[in-house]
Amino acid sequence: MRQPWRVAVVGGGIAGLAAAVRLRDRAPAGTEITVYEQSGALGGKLRTGELAGQPVEFGAESFLLRDPTGAESAAVALVRRLGLADRIVHPTVGQAALVIDGGLRPIPGGTLVGVPGDLDRVTTVARPAADADTDDGRPLVGPDADVSVGALVRSRFGDEVVERLVDPMLGGVYAGRADDLSLVTTMPALARTARVEHTLVGAVRAAQAAAPRAPGAPVFGTLVGGLSTLVEAAVTASGATVRRDAAVRELTPTDTGWRLTVGPTRAPEMIDVDAVVLAVPARPAARLLAGPAPATAAGVGELDYASVALVTLAVPQPRLPELSGFLVPSTEGLLIKAATFFTTKWGHLRRPDGLALVRASVGRYGEEAQLQRPDADLAATVHRELSAVLGEPLPAPVDGHVQRWGGALPQYTPGHADRLAAARTALRAEHPTLVLAGAGYDGVGIPVCVRSGETAADEIITALGGSAR
Ligand SMILES: Cc1cc2nc3c(=O)[nH]c(=O)nc-3n(C[C@H](O)[C@H](O)[C@H](O)COP(=O)(O)OP(=O)(O)OC[C@H]3O[C@@H](n4cnc5c(N)ncnc54)[C@H](O)[C@@H]3O)c2cc1C
């Protein structure tokens, strides 16, 4: 193998950057790492902007502190590795609400993404079906089976628990519907226990017991200064050469690795490397894989995506409830899917002048037409709906921002994990020096994507004949 190694990371989101840091830490010294990013900015769905003179997240807002086993999440480990641990802060107000019949009701505790482990605790928002969660003498889900979260919960707890709890909470993450989303990929801890337990209450409790949490321990964290500080620190630590505005348009296998076609069609640049971490969403990945790995391209290209828009308003001295925000079931007929009271939720964002930053997320899978409206229309609708939910007129905003995220959230349908495993097996057999990473494959969320990028880097090191340092 030629020395030093040349590794291309295609995609400058958090998965690609985590891969770059891991390569720097574990590949042989001197390895040449280059990150190719098609847009002008790194970070992908991590983007800290500014509103009313203050840093504010226009994309992802926070990260889970623990993984489904209860261990420290890969995001926290990366933050530590980058020397940013002293910037981690936790929500000052953790309680959120659900909009039920137009008004706010606290989200009941003790659920797993809305799936209750104690039916008595959720009756303030939904009436669980009586006696449907019976022990039929066998596990809820077969050993290799996958089902939609909605189908499983409907059959055991009835429709209202899905519509008023699970859908809004799962929809808060995926902008999709519980009836479409895979249990195995979107709720892996519950999928594991559902293969053993005979009731859904039992499966939820077993999943919770497998990852015990001290009462009151924070679940989420973010970074003072914004999540873009994580992006910048990762770039620095990786020592990678960064190529912005550099879309990779083609990947061609060579005798020794890969040839990348980069940049505009009228002036393409050809770059030879030994290995590639492909950390772009599934759709662009499928286009790049269509030539060298058609079976893998077909497997990953099936994934569909939801689009969302985030509307952030800076509102002078509103009277907001002591809540981190609220979620809206689709049955409520509102455009807003979720709202976050940034300046209530995060103590470090509170302002002496009382200006509040409120962010609403708009857009559910299958309702893309709603996002065709102009920014001003979206902002006005959000302002009107916020006033209605809060039960009093919200003061007129002094500033606002609309961030559109087209095709941003993967909709993993049942069977996704098996399709992905088959696609990866085919790729590994044919092209071990090309590895997939990121939200198109392993799940959404910063911790999952960090882990995915790191695993991809480890695979590349093995494929190039190295051993992790
Ligand atoms: C609105 C929103 C809010 C979210 N909030 C949270 C949250 O609070 N907490 C959380 O944990 N997760 C959150 N998520 C999910 C999380 O942000 C994502 O799962 C994660 O950031 C995805 O990282 P990634 O690196 O896999 O992909 P991306 O961030 O999509 O990065 C991929 C990069 O590849 C680039 N690219 C694409 N094609 C090419 C090409 N041909 N050549 C070169 N570059 C290319 C893209 O421009 C992009 O920069 C949120 C997601 C969205 C959309």
Side-chain angles (χ1 to χ4, degrees):
M1 171 57 60
R2 178 194 171 279
Q3 295 287 342
W5 295 352
R6 298 158 306 177
V7 183
V9 175
V10 182
I14 194 62
L17 295 175
V21 174
R22 177 63 71 103
L23 285 164
R24 178 58 63 221
D25 287 348
R26 298 200 173 174
T31 296
E32 293 167 12
I33 306 163
T34 307
V35 176
Y36 295 89
E37 167 54 47
Q38 72 174 6
S39 73
L42 295 175
K45 272 73 184 190
L46 275 57
R47 185 180 302 179
T48 309
E50 201 187 284
L51 194 67
Q54 182 162 326
V56 57
E57 302 299 349
F58 290 158
E61 175 203 359
S62 59
F63 47 84
L64 278 169
L65 299 171
R66 310 232 150 251
D67 73 14
T69 67
E72 181 177 272
S73 77
V76 175
L78 180 64
V79 167
R80 272 190 214 296
R81 155 70 184 87
L82 299 176
L84 298 174
D86 58 351
R87 285 179 177 244
I88 297 181
V89 285
H90 310 296
T92 316
V93 175
Q95 179 68 57
L98 278 161
V99 176
I100 303 291
D101 299 330
L104 292 172
R105 297 197 203 161
I107 297 180
T111 76
L112 209 59
V113 200
V115 187
D118 178 349
L119 296 177
D120 290 339
R121 289 183 72 180
V122 302
T123 49
T124 48
V125 295
R127 289 156 304 177
D131 304 329
D133 193 28
T134 51
D135 183 344
D136 302 330
R138 59 189 148 83
L140 289 175
V141 176
D144 300 314
D146 191 8
V147 292
S148 80
V149 176
L152 177 64
V153 181
R154 274 183 206 282
S155 69
R156 292 275 154 177
F157 296 158
D159 294 340
E160 222 174 75
V161 172
V162 173
E163 280 152 21
R164 293 186 163 191
L165 267 161
V166 185
D167 233 11
M169 290 183 78
L170 211 53
V173 180
Y174 295 96
R177 292 190 169 73
D179 287 334
D180 300 328
L181 293 168
S182 149
L183 179 73
V184 169
T185 303
T186 66
M187 299 191 69
L190 185 61
R192 270 192 292 278
T193 56
R195 288 180 169 156
V196 179
E197 298 291 327
H198 295 192
T199 65
L200 189 48
V201 162
V204 171
R205 289 182 183 171
Q208 287 168 331
R213 191 160 64 87
V219 177
F220 291 99
T222 195
L223 298 179
V224 172
L227 291 175
S228 286
T229 56
L230 179 65
V231 173
E232 287 149 22
V235 173
T236 305
S238 73
T241 302
V242 173
R243 298 278 312 272
R244 294 179 181 78
D245 299 311
V248 174
R249 291 192 296 102
E250 219 173 302
L251 290 173
T252 315
T254 64
D255 289 345
T256 56
W258 293 91
R259 176 160 297 168
L260 276 57
T261 307
V262 181
T265 29
R266 54 183 193 291
E269 201 182 335
M270 307 296 179
I271 296 155
D272 287 337
V273 296
D274 303 309
V276 178
V277 175
L278 189 53
V280 303
R283 289 274 176 82
R287 283 194 291 276
L288 288 168
L289 291 166
T296 306
V300 302
E302 276 181 32
L303 190 62
D304 215 352
Y305 281 80
S307 297
V308 294
L310 300 181
V311 179
T312 311
L313 303 178
V315 185
Q317 303 191 318
R319 289 204 313 177
L320 297 177
E322 198 61 3
L323 292 168
S324 58
F326 61 78
L327 298 168
V328 189
S330 57
T331 45
E332 291 290 316
L334 298 180
L335 187 67
I336 296 180
K337 175 169 67 69
T340 306
F341 304 146
F342 271 147
T343 36
T344 308
K345 178 174 179 181
W346 301 104
H348 70 287
L349 295 182
R350 289 195 184 154
R351 298 172 49 121
D353 61 5
L355 192 82
L357 298 174
V358 179
R359 181 173 97 173
S361 162
V362 169
R364 293 183 174 87
Y365 180 59
E367 295 175 7
E368 284 72 16
Q370 300 274 21
L371 299 177
Q372 303 300 321
R373 312 172 185 206
D375 287 0
D377 187 350
L378 282 184
T381 307
V382 161
H383 185 262
R384 195 174 58 246
E385 290 188 355
L386 283 169
S387 300
V389 169
L390 294 171
E392 60 179 89
L394 195 66
V398 293
D399 207 349
H401 180 268
V402 177
Q403 179 69 50
R404 292 170 186 272
W405 292 105
L409 287 162
Q411 304 295 300
Y412 311 107
T413 52
H416 168 83
D418 286 346
R419 288 191 293 275
L420 175 67
R424 274 198 167 131
T425 303
L427 189 60
R428 235 174 248 131
E430 210 182 347
H431 298 298
T433 54
L434 175 64
V435 181
L436 302 170
Y441 320 98
D442 297 309
V444 303
I446 298 168
V448 173
C449 292
V450 168
R451 171 91 63 221
S452 174
E454 291 172 348
T455 305
D458 289 344
E459 277 193 43
I460 291 284
I461 292 167
T462 306
L464 290 178
S467 55
R469 279 196 283 150

